[in-house]
Amino acid sequence: MAEQVKHEHADSAEHAHDAEHAHDAEHAHDAEHAHDAEHAHDAEHAHDAEHDHDAEHDHNPLGAEHLFGHVKDADYLELPHLLGGHVPLPQPFKTDVPLFTVNTGFPPIDQRIEPLDLKFTKFMLMELVAAVVLVFLFVRLAAKLRGGGAPKGAATNALEAMVLFVRNDIARPAIGRHDADRFLPFLLTAFFFVAACNLLGLVPWAGSATGALGTTVALALLTFGTVVVAGMAKLGPVGFWLAQVPHLELSPVMSVILKPMIFGIEVMGLGIKHSVLAVRLFANMMAGHLVLAVVLAFIAATWSSFAFWGVMPASIFGAIALSLLELMVAFIQAYVFTFLSALFIGMAVHPH
């Protein structure tokens, strides 16, 4: 009997010990859940705060990303909300996997250069519009002047005046009277295409394709190709490259040392000149539209303050004045690009 009682006491103690452990485990489990819940709550608050910070950053009218978003290329048209807001462009050629991506090892640069995926963008649309408008205008001009009669009408006279300006004041002085007319079609195309793209940047909700480095690099490559082909056609494939080294009275030893160095410098300079041709046009057009975006962004930045009523009219008048300046800059940049192209062609066909 004593043994049975002792056994029952042992069982009771064991049950009590198990219950105590279960109770402690339950408390530990509850504490762990409470701790996890607290961490989850903190993480949720941190996530919300991060989203609020991002939203505040995204909606900052004077933020760099916001401003550059208005002037850079995109695969949509940015219209007012009443007209649809962001209207995506059709993508008949876009690939699911990029055909080419840039990996320079410098992440900031790589992020600015989008992968090649054949998407159709806003600036491509602007270039297409510029090309169609120019074809329409000059086909009509050619039809009117085909008979040899005097030009009539404001548009006809304006176009003829600009054509004569490019021929008489750009092409012939830079290339020479005998060779200039052969390159006039290229120079006229460059001048009017650049001018048309620049002017489209002043149209509300459109964009300036020359504000993209890809466009200006393509134009500069066309000029580079014209320079090289014209020089090789004039001087021969070998003579053109030999003409890059100026005639110098040097001893044979010094010629062997210096002429290869001069040749390398001149070839490098040929590439640098055309690179600057692209960067100059891109930088001027991008900077002009970015300044316009900043001036107008002051209106949104002061929307909820009393200063809005003073900033708003000043920003509007400033934007009008800058737009008139950009109207002049559109033709100046077209002139500079065409003049430098003619100058480089003239240097290629008349190296001395």
Side-chain angles (χ1 to χ4, degrees):
M1 181 65 116
E3 289 182 3
Q4 184 178 359
V5 172
K6 185 176 179 181
H7 184 69
E8 288 178 359
H9 275 290
D11 290 341
S12 300
E14 186 177 353
H15 279 294
H17 185 68
D18 292 342
E20 184 179 354
H21 272 289
H23 186 68
D24 292 343
E26 185 178 354
H27 273 289
H29 186 66
D30 292 343
E32 184 179 353
H33 272 291
H35 187 68
D36 292 343
E38 183 178 354
H39 272 288
H41 186 67
D42 293 342
E44 184 179 354
H45 273 290
H47 188 67
D48 292 342
E50 185 179 354
H51 272 289
D52 291 341
H53 179 73
D54 291 342
E56 182 180 353
H57 179 73
D58 291 340
H59 288 86
N60 179 15
L62 295 174
E65 292 296 330
H66 181 79
L67 291 172
F68 276 102
H70 286 290
V71 297
K72 69 179 185 179
D73 201 2
D75 56 358
Y76 57 84
L77 294 177
E78 188 174 3
L79 303 176
H81 292 291
L82 295 177
L83 299 178
H86 285 192
V87 179
L89 294 170
Q91 302 296 335
F93 308 110
K94 186 175 181 180
T95 59
D96 296 331
V97 179
L99 302 178
F100 177 76
T101 56
V102 176
N103 186 12
T104 63
F106 298 96
I109 297 177
D110 294 343
Q111 292 174 3
R112 295 293 179 185
I113 303 176
E114 297 188 6
L116 178 63
D117 54 5
L118 301 182
K119 66 181 177 182
F120 185 67
T121 66
K122 176 176 67 175
F123 286 169
M124 292 180 185
L125 178 62
M126 295 300 107
E127 292 168 3
L128 183 61
V129 170
V132 170
V133 169
L134 290 177
V135 169
F136 174 76
L137 290 176
F138 280 97
V139 166
R140 291 191 61 189
L141 176 63
K144 287 184 177 181
L145 300 181
R146 186 175 299 167
K152 297 179 180 179
T156 302
N157 279 277
L159 290 174
E160 187 190 33
M162 286 188 282
V163 168
L164 293 177
F165 170 76
V166 172
R167 187 191 69 179
N168 297 333
D169 296 319
I170 297 178
R172 287 181 176 177
I175 302 174
R177 190 176 187 87
H178 298 290
D179 295 320
D181 290 350
R182 292 193 296 118
F183 301 101
L184 195 57
F186 170 74
L187 296 174
L188 286 172
T189 302
F191 176 83
F192 284 103
F193 182 75
V194 172
C197 288
N198 293 348
L199 293 174
L200 283 174
L202 297 175
V203 177
W205 313 311
S208 177
T210 45
L213 192 58
T215 303
T216 59
V217 166
L219 292 170
L221 285 175
L222 289 174
T223 300
F224 178 77
T226 304
V227 167
V228 172
V229 172
M232 293 174 69
K234 181 78 173 182
L235 305 174
V238 178
F240 169 72
W241 295 107
L242 291 178
Q244 301 303 312
V245 179
H247 180 70
L248 299 172
E249 295 293 339
L250 298 172
S251 63
V253 176
M254 294 301 295
S255 297
V256 172
I257 297 174
L258 291 180
K259 285 189 175 181
M261 296 173 59
I262 296 173
F263 176 78
I265 293 172
E266 291 295 331
V267 171
M268 188 182 301
L270 187 66
I272 291 173
K273 286 188 296 186
H274 291 85
S275 299
V276 173
L277 188 65
V279 174
R280 177 188 286 109
L281 179 58
F282 158 72
N284 279 281
M285 299 313 300
M286 169 67 82
H289 291 290
L290 192 59
V291 171
L292 272 173
V294 171
V295 171
L296 291 175
F298 282 121
I299 298 176
T302 58
W303 177 262
S304 58
S305 66
F306 182 75
F308 168 78
W309 299 105
V311 171
M312 184 265 293
S315 294
I316 291 176
F317 284 117
I320 293 173
L322 286 172
S323 296
L324 294 175
L325 179 63
E326 283 295 302
L327 182 63
M328 181 178 67
V329 169
F331 288 100
I332 290 177
Q333 291 304 316
Y335 164 75
V336 170
F337 186 91
T338 309
F339 175 74
L340 291 176
S341 297
L343 190 63
F344 296 159
I345 294 171
M347 293 169 63
V349 297
H350 302 293
H352 303 298

